[in-house]
Amino acid sequence: MRYFWITQDLSLPCQIQYRDFDIRGGRHLFRKEDQEKIKDMVPLFLSGSGREVRPDFIQRPVIMFSDRLKEILTAYEPELVFKSVVLIHKESGLQYRYVHVLMDCVDGLSEKSQWYPGGMEKHLVLKGEKAAGHHLFLLKGVQRKDPLISLPMAESLLRRKVTGICLEEAEVE
């Protein structure tokens, strides 16, 4: 099976801006086992005019998908945990619903992966049989914290004409 790293397209013009966070700043990574530590619904306030572009995938401050994609994510990964995030543009009275996705970490690295002497990954290779059966997951034991999605899930997302998503094919043995 083919897999893709999914990242937020930061080159989109006029993206939403958080009032209290820098969208290009750091991110927080939560997994399924952290679900009890996170509120079921979190509001985030936006700045700007209210006419900014809203991507369907946001990585910062946490990994979020637009609410309209929740059914697709659930269809492929029924065990995902979702927490609601409401982006609020107070001045214009607009609200946008997103879901914070808590996913599994899969130990799916191949021995063919390469590392720099300091321990940072140089070239990552997935072991196909370890990733098999997973459609949206994080890779255990690496610095890269971008989620991986399967080809069928990527195709389903792209058919919905998603905005602000970049896909980079991962090498699989």
Side-chain angles (χ1 to χ4, degrees), residues 74-85:
T74 304
Y76 285 95
E77 284 285 344
E79 302 298 318
L80 289 174
V81 175
F82 298 101
K83 301 290 184 170
S84 294
V85 178

Side-chain angles (χ1 to χ4, degrees), residues 70-80 133-136 150-157 159-160:
K70 184 178 177 181
E71 279 186 38
I72 296 166
L73 301 176
T74 304
Y76 285 95
E77 284 285 344
E79 302 298 318
L80 289 174
H134 296 282
H135 292 279
L136 176 64
S150 65
L151 176 61
M153 181 182 271
E155 289 173 336
S156 290
L157 292 174
R159 279 193 297 273
R160 274 43 176 211

